[in-house]
Amino acid sequence: MSRPASVHDLVQSHRITAVIYAAAKLNLAEAIGGEAKSVAELARLVSADESALRRLLVGLSTLGLCRQADRDRFAITDLGRQLNETADPSFKDWVLFEGEMLAQSWSGLIDSVRTGKTAAELRGDGDDRYAETSNAPEWTRRFNAAMVNLTRSIVPKIVAAHDFSDARVVMDIGGGTGELIGGVLKRNPHLQGITLDLARCEAEARTHFDRLGIADRCRFVAGSFFDKIQSGADTILMKSILHNWKDDRCLIILKNCRDALPSGGTLIVIERIMPELATTEPEDRSCVMSDLNMLRGPGGCERTEAGYRRLAVLASFAFVGTTGIGSFSLVQFRKVGN
């Protein structure tokens, strides 16, 4: 991505989000399919005004999501195909989550910067977004689907970055509907797996395990990582968990993980790593934007490697090493003592 010419270019970025969200909501990637289609045909397929849809398609073409075959026919690009829910990778559910839920939350960023409080705290709703939304099934469904999109895209990198051959039972803490543990078990037939998360994720997780053919060696445990975590696993995974919480809550989670592991057990933390000094590189920008999302949303933060190491040492873990996996990093720790 080339550097913008001016602040005027940067401040219009919200328009790009709106354009991509509109395309996903209209199911345009699915409607276009594998060959160029006329605007008239697409308008019929997605129930849109023909003239307005053409303008949207031209906008998508400038973003590289569509290709204008001629004046009135458009084809989908490889990048645009990621808006198709059946694509691999697909980020359609993340786009819908971003457009319907996160974009609205960010409109109040100035209030969070002034006060240091999340959107929920400013509303007087408490400081636990996940507890707050436990009775909001649409939010839960959209959130889980978005997390599946993101996790599925990096599972191959996680499996390539860590050798699970010495592990026997792997537990994914806060594992949602089982996307991560499912990917790890499919690529490691010798493993048994456990997903720990709130009960609202259980039905979909069990269905997912059945679909993958791993239900005989993977189970779901309903519970909270703020409570006692059952023992039995020699390896614990946590992806995008600690960044949601402030240090005191992170220490509770980490100490519960330590208590659940045997001596020498492995803890794998998968998070974005905040740069010590931020640059204009896309990876840095992505991490910093996620950090601001944590400020506005659940109240946690993205941390440097030193920040994660400090927390883990306080919970009696020893640092083993860090491996970069794209925009995320895999940070490995080992339980010290009994």
Side-chain angles (χ1 to χ4, degrees), residues 61-315:
S61 297
T62 69
L63 299 176
L65 299 176
C66 285
R67 177 177 58 82
Q68 198 165 0
D70 54 45
R71 189 183 185 282
D72 285 309
R73 289 191 314 127
F74 291 82
I76 202 74
T77 63
D78 287 342
L79 184 63
R81 211 165 275 118
Q82 294 179 8
L83 293 177
N84 188 320
E85 64 184 359
T86 64
D88 183 16
S90 170
F91 290 101
K92 181 175 183 176
D93 284 311
W94 186 278
V95 169
L96 296 175
F97 179 59
E98 189 84 38
E100 292 175 4
M101 296 172 181
L102 293 188
Q104 286 82 344
S105 173
W106 273 65
S107 66
L109 179 61
I110 184 64
D111 299 318
S112 291
V113 171
R114 280 182 168 145
T115 64
K117 295 182 178 180
T118 67
E121 289 171 329
L122 287 165
R123 291 193 304 268
D125 293 339
D127 62 355
D128 188 343
R129 179 178 73 178
Y130 302 98
E132 280 297 315
T133 57
S134 61
N135 295 316
E138 175 57 23
W139 190 95
T140 299
R141 188 193 68 78
R142 183 67 77 208
F143 175 81
N144 284 342
M147 293 306 110
V148 166
N149 276 183
L150 183 59
T151 300
R152 185 173 294 167
S153 71
I154 65 170
V155 164
K157 296 176 182 177
I158 293 170
V159 175
H162 183 77
D163 183 2
F164 287 93
S165 58
D166 290 335
R168 290 294 172 264
V169 182
V170 178
M171 182 187 296
D172 185 12
I173 302 296
T177 57
E179 188 65 33
L180 176 54
I181 198 71
V184 170
L185 263 62
K186 283 292 286 185
R187 293 164 175 82
N188 291 274
H190 70 285
L191 287 178
Q192 298 285 318
I194 304 167
T195 291
L196 171 74
D197 212 318
L198 301 178
R200 64 193 185 203
C201 299
E202 182 169 1
E204 195 170 344
R206 290 185 182 279
T207 299
H208 183 59
F209 299 154
D210 285 335
R211 185 166 55 245
L212 292 180
I214 60 170
D216 61 330
R217 56 193 181 96
C218 193
R219 57 195 175 92
F220 185 96
V221 174
S224 167
F225 41 58
F226 290 117
D227 300 328
K228 180 180 174 61
I229 297 172
Q230 71 170 66
S231 59
D234 52 70
T235 301
I236 286 179
L237 297 173
M238 281 197 295
K239 178 196 159 292
S240 300
I241 300 297
L242 296 180
H243 78 152
N244 289 311
W245 307 100
K246 296 177 182 177
D247 284 3
D248 58 338
R249 306 295 294 279
C250 286
L251 279 173
I252 294 172
I253 299 169
L254 287 167
K255 287 176 180 178
N256 286 340
C257 288
R258 185 190 182 281
D259 291 344
L261 284 169
S263 179
T266 297
L267 171 67
I268 299 171
V269 173
I270 301 160
E271 295 280 2
R272 302 175 192 269
I273 298 296
M274 186 71 115
E276 295 286 352
L277 295 173
T279 71
T280 57
E281 289 300 311
E283 294 81 4
D284 286 5
R285 186 183 308 121
S286 175
C287 186
V288 171
M289 291 299 165
S290 182
D291 180 60
L292 290 170
N293 192 48
M294 295 303 103
L295 168 64
R296 185 64 185 154
C301 64
E302 303 298 348
R303 296 175 173 86
T304 61
E305 181 189 279
Y308 284 115
R309 292 176 66 168
R310 181 183 63 81
L311 286 172
V313 167
L314 288 172

